[in-house]
Amino acid sequence: MCMNFRNLEEDFRRLESAGADRFHFDIMDGHFVPNITLGQDILNSLRSVSRVPFEAHLMVENPERFIDRFLSADIIIFHLEATKAPIRLARSIKSLGKIVSVAINPATPPEALTFLLPEIDEILVMTVEPGFAGQGFIEQSIKKVKILKDLLYRENPSVKIEVDGAISVDTGRRLREAGVEIFVGGTSGIFMDGGTIEENLKKLKEALDKI
Ligand code: ZN
């Protein structure tokens, strides 16, 4: 949602050639979050533009209703807070051959994921409240990642942790040290003044790769 909407295809190509490992689509329904953004048509129409994996971050109520609209995504991320049957949903996403990721909001404790851990591949820790670009980083997120890392060590060490929200060189490095492996770049890390999107992406990746 941070890309130039008048030139989406060009931004995709530029970021892919600069080394983007994934493209992250923020899907908002105006109910789970107070904003409306991209839908399945944009994701599906851009699929042929890039070979890089696509991830659909569903910030929607009752995500089970929408899964079959995002079959061209490689990774499907749903919010723990948005569904009443997360284990059933994780299994149905897996049965479609997709990578399953569960997102948690800043106030959701990591322990809430305990019994879901054998069912999923990744966890997305929201480091801002979901809904808008350009918010301030929530410092508690560092502590949360550390707690989650301990929990994963005991329950399912193969699960990867991803972070989303206000990821810059500074917050990214601290999260990396806490155990994060996947970073979503937005207006704090890639789409900002002071460099091209390629330069900013490379700078962010270099800073995180060094740790
Ligand atoms: Zn997102």
Side-chain angles (χ1 to χ4, degrees), residues 154-207:
R154 293 195 304 272
E155 304 287 342
N156 187 355
S158 67
V159 173
K160 290 180 181 161
I161 303 176
E162 177 173 18
V163 281
D164 187 6
I167 303 303
S168 62
V169 167
D170 170 54
T171 58
R173 286 181 71 91
R174 289 189 289 138
L175 288 159
R176 178 89 167 139
E177 280 163 4
V180 173
E181 291 176 77
I182 307 163
F183 299 82
V184 179
T187 54
S188 305
I190 298 174
F191 303 92
M192 67 244 196
D193 298 335
T196 65
I197 54 177
E198 292 95 330
E199 287 164 356
N200 293 338
L201 173 64
K202 284 181 181 160
K203 206 182 289 176
L204 186 60
K205 285 193 68 160
E206 268 171 31

Side-chain angles (χ1 to χ4, degrees), residues 21-76:
D21 303 291
R22 293 183 179 187
F23 287 115
H24 180 94
F25 290 78
D26 283 315
I27 316 289
M28 303 184 189
D29 66 351
H31 294 280
F32 182 68
V33 287
N35 198 5
I36 296 172
T37 52
L38 315 175
Q40 68 272 16
D41 296 339
I42 287 199
L43 185 146
N44 294 334
S45 72
L46 286 162
R47 182 61 281 190
S48 61
V49 168
S50 170
R51 291 210 186 103
V52 172
F54 278 15
E55 54 183 35
H57 178 192
L58 305 180
M59 286 171 267
V60 303
E61 290 288 356
N62 302 314
E64 41 279 284
R65 288 186 301 160
F66 299 99
I67 298 305
D68 58 0
R69 299 183 201 187
F70 291 93
L71 296 182
S72 54
D74 305 276
I75 301 122
I76 295 184

Side-chain angles (χ1 to χ4, degrees), residues 98-148:
K98 309 293 178 191
I99 292 174
V100 186
S101 178
V102 179
I104 51 171
N105 282 340
T108 302
E111 292 82 359
L113 291 165
T114 305
F115 298 106
L116 199 50
L117 294 179
E119 311 284 343
I120 61 176
D121 303 300
E122 298 179 358
I123 295 166
L124 179 75
V125 174
M126 288 303 301
T127 46
V128 301
E129 291 283 10
F132 298 93
Q135 303 180 69
F137 181 70
I138 295 173
E139 282 294 330
Q140 291 273 66
S141 309
I142 309 269
K143 185 175 169 188
K144 186 185 234 178
V145 168
K146 288 180 181 162
I147 295 170
L148 201 48

